[in-house]
Amino acid sequence: MFRFIISRVLQAIPVLLVVVTITFFLVRVAPGGPFSAEKAVPPEVIKALEARYHLDEPIWQQYLGYLNDLVHGEFGPSFRYPGRTVNELIAGGLPITAELAFYAMLVAVIIGVCAGVFAALKPNTPQDYIPMSAAMLGICMPSFLMGPLLVLVFGIWFEWVPVSGWGDLPGDKILPAITLGSGYAAFLARLSRGGMLEVMSQDYIRTARAKGLPEWVVVLKHGLRGGLIPVVAFLGPAFAGLLSGSFVVETIFQIPGLGRFYVQAAFNRDYTMILGTTVFFATLIVLFNLLSDIVSVWINPKLRHQLREGK
Amino acid sequence: MISNKFYTLIILFCLLLITGCSGGESNVTTGNRDGILHWGNGTDPQELDPHIVTGVPEHHILTALLEGLVLKDPATLEPAPGVAERWEVSSDGKIYTFHLRHNARWSNGDPVTAHDFAWSWWRALQPALGNQYAYMFFPVKNAEAYLNQEIKDFSQVGVKVLDNYTLRVELSNPTPYFLQLLDHYSMFPVHRPTIEKFGAADERGSLWTRPGNFVGNGPFMLTEWQLFKKVDVAKNPYYWDAATVKLNGIRFHPTENVTTEERMFRSGQLHHTASIPIDKVAVYKKNNPELLHSHPYLGNYFYRINTKSPHLSDKRVRQALAMSINGQQIVEQVTKGGEVPAYTFTPPDTLGYTAKRGFEFNPEKARQLLADAGYPNGEGFPVTELLYNTSEGHRKIAVAIQQMWNQYLGVNITLNNQDWKVYLNSVDNGDYAIARAGWIGDYVDPNTFLDMWITGGGNNRTGWSNARYDELILKLAPTASDRETRYKLMTEAEAILLDEMPVIPIYIYNSKSLVHPSLKGLTPNILDYTVYKNLSLDSSYQGKPFNNKNHSGEAVH
Amino acid sequence: MSSSIPAAEILEYAEKGTSLWQDAWIRLRKNTLALFGLGVILTLCLIALMTPFIAPYGYEEQNLLLGAAPPSAEHWLGTDIFGRDMLTRIMYGSRVSLMVGFIATGVALAIGVLWGTIAGYAGGRVDAVMMRIVDILYALPFMIFIVLLMVVFGRNILLLFLAIGAVEWLTMARIVRGQVLSLRRQEFVEAAVSLGLSRWTIIRRHLIPNTLGPVIVYTTLTIPSVMLLEAFLSFLGLGIQPPQSSWGLLISYGVETMEEYPWLLLFPGLTLSITLFALNFLGDGLRDALDPKASRD
């Protein structure tokens, strides 16, 4: 098990290196620099700015310099916000995006798993069809459609919840969390239904019932553990999706999180910010995939066995 | 069947929903009570160092935190005393002597002296700082040379401290609008001990601008700054005119999305918005016109023409293009924001200057001109590309004009849009045929619009050059004996510009805001210039801006 | 979701014997939702192809005096703020959205099938290397790269296809490889080898046709996620650029004015959702039809 973890961690390093390199050169290739402005800027000033940000050095030197900084955990100064470092900006936006992702995941897991399990208990009946159709709706209605619709109905027509911001007004976290989580809730509903169906038809479930255990114990204690294996495996990639979903949700609801920073940085050619957030995101995603793999193996006795025997 | 745990979770979730939905007082209500102005400020400020920033949102915040030598009267925009209580100008117009008031103070109690200004201007001209508005100093003798490092000794630059409260400024040439420049944030003073405490004077983006560190001499002090969330300022007790400041503080809200900003205004979260969505203009005009403030703005929306392009080098072609645009239709049906079509380059009534109309919408004449130039009915006119930076707004206008040119002249135009930064690059490199542009005046004087077009000017970018124009703008107008003569010379220059038409003015900008009825003291002007110390909040008004006529304290929605 | 097939028909098939495809078609026919999905998609494709001929108005035809108007007899789905007919714009948008969906998926298909087949058939070190590459690429945050690519190279719709296709081929490769691996050990392949058929012939004639089942299913499910991806990018302003229009772009315009003119959001949104619905149902149905043993999801 330990060796497994180590080998996965080691695998992650070349991935990150590839990410950094590709992003670094892509960003430099993009037309339009960070200092283009409508009013003509005196050439001396441009020279001074470029010197300060090392833009006048040959590109290989810039690349190696950046790698060096990265190893020390320095993402560099932001172009757009001269007084701030990218570290600072990421540190500012991260808690917000993390909170949003957490709430969204909470929504997704609670609603999705419950709906899926619920449906699996009586397959091919209305108890099954209704949640699954709703789930299909959740998958097919993208967040940038659902979000504005929710805003329109609950925020503007009914005025039940605020329509923008995060943490400024009570209740302004509800709509963004639901918008981001709904797609995943739908997916999880289908996954958990499938998993549960497969598990519930197994022999050991029949045994448990034959033993006289109440149904809910059968479901929760015995069924869920097996039925949720696909769900756990899904969580890793879902995290990556949540992160990218945050771009849109944060834009719609004007949430000052990392996703919105990233999109804006891309438009503003804020090189260091783009690089920094990309590397940061990549690291997070790799981390989460790793965690998800480990947890999958851990809760799935079959895989654990395979691992011990060497695949 | 399903465990109780499951049900508890559901109930908890619903509770969360419900408690989340409770009201809470709106910003306007609490603001009116506490004297805090809630101001929608557009894009988040990049920095608060006046020698680094470049935007309008930063300008709004900096005019609260700092004060220059000279202010402006909000109604007439004529110079008014700021830190300088009076000044004299020499007869040749080159020497300005400013007498600073003795009671001007920084927010930590230090007196504001002439040394502060001299040092600040020195700092603003340090190349390492990367001040993109360094060119505002160029009228000052040797300032440009110093920036270029042709002169290394700052004492040769025309700023001299005569004594603690007297500053002498020498210009290379008489510059009639010099006093207007002094109110630009790049010419604001900064507090030397604070800056030097946090780093080198020319260190870009040090910590001196953070709340708790920032020391300014304006009516307010910086108390909080959270990126993407808010910038809070509170009344500065050391400000020389603190007695007249009625507000206790201002919160600047970042409002990048104009639709969200309007919703914030509607739910009583803002007293003043930065802008208003286009589709809401008609709605407010109909239902609540008293909330909508609209005023011409010192800016011009125009198209640049690349005069080096072979078929566009004939001025008759350019005139034909200009005369076949129905500006009235564009402002009425396309932009719909209450703008005015432009027939001059300088907005009318720029500090009393109004140029003569240079052209008109006349498709007949346009067709004739195009035929004279060798393209009757547009035959033989090469397909030309119109470039604009990606935005639905610009696209709307471009599509309308494309159709007009096709309809009236028979010419074929294609549209091309690029990302902002890419577009700037293209225009800078002359990589365009016709490009959309906008120009907002740096100061209230026709010169800021007209000196763009001198031969080789950094902002020209059209390849146009005219010796007489250069002579008028660079030599004759600055040395005119009085304003009337000067304006007459500039009118002549502008007439040349409008005859040669390297640019086609389309409409004059309009500043539009939604203003809560409880905010008093705003004076509309062409610069959208706000003097915060004139503003006050009437606490008898309630949060939501509508139907607020009953202000005896009863809650009205 | 099942209806019974008359006994006579069953007998008929039992006598004649059916191919894999006929079996699948029978099962698919029973699935009403999947058929509905198929119908919707076919209709949409037809409309998209015929748009230049049947669209009621010109694509850019403005009616500035009219402005944004709700649905009426002349404009069945209303008009936008320029007075452009929404029905026409949605129809033209369908061309772009569907085109991106099909072409990008096609790119993913081509690369993925080729990659997976070669890896699966070659086995050994070649397979290990190829799959390791897939693993590394799988871990990359592609959304972020796509955003970056779009910003860097922006206006090129061709690049959009390539970028999206380049993201989706990975899973396809994995699926195909899995299939090929299991097929390789089967007898008919051994027979082909002993017959002396070249490796390429075997791949072409025996392996690829037999992997088609899962490939078809996955393709049908990839198209909606590709369309979603394109709409997502366009909504952020990074995908299709004006003057072209896609449903994502139309939705983003609709969001801005949804209070005053809700139909500008409703109709493109509905169209996109229905299309995605249909494709997903079709994909599910195909999966059930081609391999009823496969577990759902």
Side-chain angles (χ1 to χ4, degrees), chain B residues 259 262-263 266 279-280 283 329 333-334 336 388 390 392 395-397 399-400 403 415-419 422, chain C residues 59-62 64-65 67-68 81-82 84 89 151 155 237 241-243 253 255-261:
Chain B
T259 316
E262 190 268 332
R263 291 198 193 121
R266 256 202 313 204
D279 58 321
K280 290 286 183 183
V283 178
Q329 188 177 47
Q333 289 163 12
V334 181
K336 292 201 237 197
Y388 61 96
T390 308
E392 257 306 279
R395 179 169 167 69
K396 288 187 221 176
I397 299 174
V399 168
Q403 283 191 329
L415 300 180
N416 183 14
N417 58 302
Q418 294 173 345
D419 240 14
V422 183
Chain C
Y59 175 66
E60 280 286 353
E61 203 176 308
Q62 294 183 8
L64 291 176
L65 289 170
I81 31 185
F82 291 123
R84 293 182 287 201
R89 289 186 46 89
V151 168
R155 310 205 54 239
Q241 304 278 3
Y253 296 153
V255 167
E256 279 171 34
T257 52
M258 67 179 178
E259 265 182 75
E260 299 299 318
Y261 316 123

